[in-house]
Amino acid sequence: MTTIGVLALQGAFEEHIKMLERLGVRAVEVRKPQELEGLDGLIIPGGESTSMALIAERWGLVEPLRRWVHSGRPTWGTCAGMILIADRATGQKEGGQTLLGGLDVTVNRNYFGRQVNSFEAWLEAPILGPEPIRAVFIRAPAVTEVGPGVEVLATLPGKEGQPVAVALRKGPILATAFHPELTDDLRWHRLFLQMVTEAQEQASAPAER
Ligand code: GLN
C-alpha cells in the first residue's frame, strides 16, 4: 500500500493527512529521520518556514530531508513547504534561512503576505481539468523566477502586472503557494498521488539499454 509521509514539525499537517486518508492511502506523520524510510512520497505542509527550518535543524532533519528531495523522491511543498524546497528565496529575515532546495525556482517568501494576510481565489489549472479550483492563500509566497524544465501549473496576476507562479512541477516535485488541504477539493492531492505512482513505476521498470 502506498504510504505518504507528512512532515509534522509545525503547521497544517493534520489536514493533509485527512485528505490523503480520504483518497485511501496510508498517511504518516514524520518527525524523525528514520520515519522517512519506506515512504513513497513526502508532503511538507504550510505553516511558517523559518520555524519549520529551525525545528528541523534541532531534530537533525535538515540533511535527511535534503537527501530525500535531491535524490528525486516524490515531494510536495505547500506554502511554507514550497519555500523550503525552493533553490532560492527572497524577502527573508536578516541572515536568510535554511532551505532544503531541490526545485530550481526563486520564491518570494511573503509575496502576497504583506498587503493582505489571507485571501481566496479561483485558479485555472488545466492539469486538473477544465473546472477552476478554489485556492486559499495565507501570507502566501509566490514564485518569481522559474528555472529550465519547471512546469508552471497555475498563475495569479502579480504586483508588476506580470503573472507569478503559484503552482509548479518538475519531475517528482510539486509546489503550491496555497493550501489545498484547507478546501474540500481533492484534485491536487490526487495529482500528487499520480506523480508518486509514476515514480514507483519508473523505479520498478527495467533499466533501458
Ligand atoms: N510566508 C510564510 C513563511 O514564510 C508561509 C505561510 C504559510 O505557509 N501559510 O513561512
Side-chain angles (χ1 to χ4, degrees), residues 46-50 79-80 83 109-110 138-139 141 179:
E48 216 283 322
S49 56
T50 316
C79 205
I83 298 170
R109 240 195 95 189
N110 290 301
I138 303 170
R139 295 186 313 282
H179 286 260

